[in-house]
Amino acid sequence: MRGLLLFCSWLLAFGLRAQADSTQALVISAAYSLPLSQAQVIERAQRAWAQTFGREPGATLAPAGDRPDQLEGSAHFNFRSRDITGREETMGRVSYRVRISATNGGCDVSIGPFRHSGNRGALRGGTDLGVITAGGPAVKRPTGLSGRTVTGLLAEIRYLARQRSEALLRNFGALLRDEP
């Protein structure tokens, strides 16, 4: 019984969820329960950031405006399609924002929106897919790419974004709970 209760609380604490509405930007979030004050949660979140998101290319973290209970950061990962070869224009980066909200007893983290920027150094210039949606077609189809190609690129970027985000959130949560 105790094991079942622990498993259920784990599911609630680590409930990774992605928005499913196709018109919405892809955002992945997690909530963590911690027996700490808001100030302690912020301190641990900053340490956990340094070991997870902080190791991503271009990572930055700062307080969110005048809100002492929130941190905002950004980073990116480099993208090169495995499925579509010979398209230097689509290579590039997928940038994302991270928002960390601390409360007494908890921490909420959301990652997104994700934005694809193509390779500006390519012969024909970069091809940007823009904001990555949670599902469905691209917000605006780039010129020079077929609908099938765009659909494949979006699916690949969504998969990579979810995979990378969920791994970062798992590690972030483990470090958040880790005793210093």
Side-chain angles (χ1 to χ4, degrees), residues 34-44 102-106:
L34 302 163
L36 303 169
S37 71
Q38 179 181 4
Q40 291 171 315
V41 171
I42 286 287
E43 182 182 317
R44 284 209 185 164
T103 60
N104 288 327

Side-chain angles (χ1 to χ4, degrees), residues 3-148:
L4 179 63
L5 187 58
L6 183 60
F7 178 73
C8 290
S9 65
W10 181 84
L11 284 176
L12 286 174
F14 287 106
L16 302 177
R17 52 201 181 272
Q19 295 178 352
D21 186 0
S22 65
T23 61
Q24 297 284 325
L26 177 64
V27 176
I28 298 171
S29 57
Y32 306 98
S33 244
L34 302 163
L36 303 169
S37 71
Q38 179 181 4
Q40 291 171 315
V41 171
I42 286 287
E43 182 182 317
R44 284 209 185 164
Q46 288 172 330
R47 284 198 312 258
W49 169 277
Q51 296 298 314
T52 55
F53 296 101
R55 293 185 176 187
E56 293 286 287
T60 61
L61 181 68
D66 59 348
R67 307 248 349 234
D69 62 333
Q70 290 187 353
L71 299 170
E72 283 187 352
S74 63
H76 71 267
F77 60 89
N78 295 324
F79 174 74
R80 180 181 186 120
S81 177
R82 290 185 197 172
D83 300 331
I84 301 166
T85 58
R87 287 301 231 172
E88 290 181 335
E89 300 88 8
T90 60
M91 289 176 14
R93 68 174 52 172
V94 177
S95 57
Y96 57 89
R97 303 209 35 86
V98 180
R99 178 176 290 265
I100 301 169
S101 298
T103 60
N104 288 327
C107 182
D108 296 323
V109 182
S110 64
I111 307 171
F114 294 85
R115 179 177 298 275
H116 173 265
S117 301
N119 180 7
R120 302 276 180 242
L123 215 52
R124 293 182 281 177
T127 300
D128 298 339
L129 294 179
V131 174
I132 305 303
T133 56
V139 174
K140 179 184 169 198
R141 190 170 107 194
T143 57
L145 293 178
S146 70
R148 185 175 182 192

